Amino acid sequence: FPVTIAIREDHSKQNGLKIGSEKILILFGSNTGTSELIAEKISEQATKNGYHSILAPMDEYSENFTSFKNVIIVTSSYEGKPPRNARKFMKALENLQSESIKGMKYAIFGCGNTDWAHTYQAVPKLIDNLLKRNGGMPILERGEGNARDNFMLDFESWNEKMWKLITLKAPN
């Protein structure tokens, strides 16, 4: 289900993040659909801002996500393990060679629930650490949505910060 959305002609730069007509890969790992819905919102915002985005489950890009310069990942953890559609991606990420994604700019939003405190955000944290270890550069701090609290407010705040850093345009 990769969905190609729009292309932006402007090649502007903000905080060193050049997107312009480059692709933004937006990946989700989800068993219940929450991460997918959040990723869809991000993809819609990318379209509104005129970017070319690709939206897909994490496993669909487990073999070639390293070819992208700009990646946004939305995922959850299930008892500390990745969602069903993110398992191959996680294995590929764990097997990366050092510095193999040097220069990749990324953002991560983790979906979770603090009722499972000892595994809360385990997969998003691991992805963040592995991307950094292999040369990735975070656009902003990893976001955390807590279903036990105000999940959508957590997401909206993180999403607004991310788009300001990418485009100088906050989402509507």
Side-chain angles (χ1 to χ4, degrees), residues 73-137:
I73 298 172
V74 182
T75 191
S76 54
S77 299
Y78 292 92
E79 297 179 11
K81 294 182 171 54
R84 285 185 299 271
N85 62 358
R87 292 176 185 160
K88 288 191 291 186
F89 179 91
M90 290 303 298
K91 284 183 183 174
L93 187 58
E94 289 168 348
N95 291 321
L96 284 179
Q97 299 298 314
S98 182
E99 300 291 312
S100 60
I101 56 170
K102 188 173 182 158
M104 175 190 285
K105 294 169 183 71
Y106 70 89
I108 299 171
F109 187 80
C111 302
N113 186 323
T114 52
D115 284 349
W116 292 275
H118 86 274
T119 61
Y120 178 69
Q121 300 287 332
V123 172
K125 287 176 185 176
L126 178 59
I127 292 170
D128 194 19
N129 289 334
L130 290 170
L131 290 174
K132 282 179 192 169
R133 182 182 81 191
N134 289 294
M137 298 180 298

Side-chain angles (χ1 to χ4, degrees), residues 9-171:
E9 297 300 323
D10 179 302
H11 292 133
S12 60
K13 290 185 181 183
Q14 172 59 23
N15 289 342
L17 178 64
K18 178 185 174 193
I19 292 181
S21 64
E22 294 180 49
K23 296 174 185 170
I24 302 174
L25 181 60
I26 303 168
L27 299 174
F28 60 87
S30 186
N31 284 348
T32 64
T34 303
S35 295
E36 183 174 359
L37 290 172
I38 295 297
E40 287 172 358
K41 285 182 161 287
I42 293 169
S43 182
E44 288 169 10
Q45 189 62 46
T47 300
K48 286 179 186 175
N49 288 340
Y51 294 103
H52 178 180
S53 70
I54 298 169
L55 173 66
M58 291 166 68
D59 280 352
E60 285 191 21
Y61 281 83
S62 61
E63 294 181 22
N64 62 349
F65 75 95
T66 58
S67 65
F68 288 83
K69 294 180 183 177
N70 307 297
V71 179
I72 300 170
I73 298 172
V74 182
T75 191
S76 54
S77 299
Y78 292 92
E79 297 179 11
K81 294 182 171 54
R84 285 185 299 271
N85 62 358
R87 292 176 185 160
K88 288 191 291 186
F89 179 91
M90 290 303 298
K91 284 183 183 174
L93 187 58
E94 289 168 348
N95 291 321
L96 284 179
Q97 299 298 314
S98 182
E99 300 291 312
S100 60
I101 56 170
K102 188 173 182 158
M104 175 190 285
K105 294 169 183 71
Y106 70 89
I108 299 171
F109 187 80
C111 302
N113 186 323
T114 52
D115 284 349
W116 292 275
H118 86 274
T119 61
Y120 178 69
Q121 300 287 332
V123 172
K125 287 176 185 176
L126 178 59
I127 292 170
D128 194 19
N129 289 334
L130 290 170
L131 290 174
K132 282 179 192 169
R133 182 182 81 191
N134 289 294
M137 298 180 298
I139 297 166
L140 74 165
E141 284 187 35
R142 178 179 41 81
E144 294 185 357
N146 181 5
R148 191 73 171 141
D149 198 15
N150 195 336
F151 181 90
M152 286 310 293
L153 185 62
D154 295 337
F155 167 69
E156 289 166 4
S157 174
W158 176 87
N159 192 45
E160 182 177 342
K161 288 176 193 171
M162 179 185 68
W163 284 109
K164 282 181 180 177
L165 291 170
I166 292 174
T167 66
L168 292 176
K169 284 182 171 176

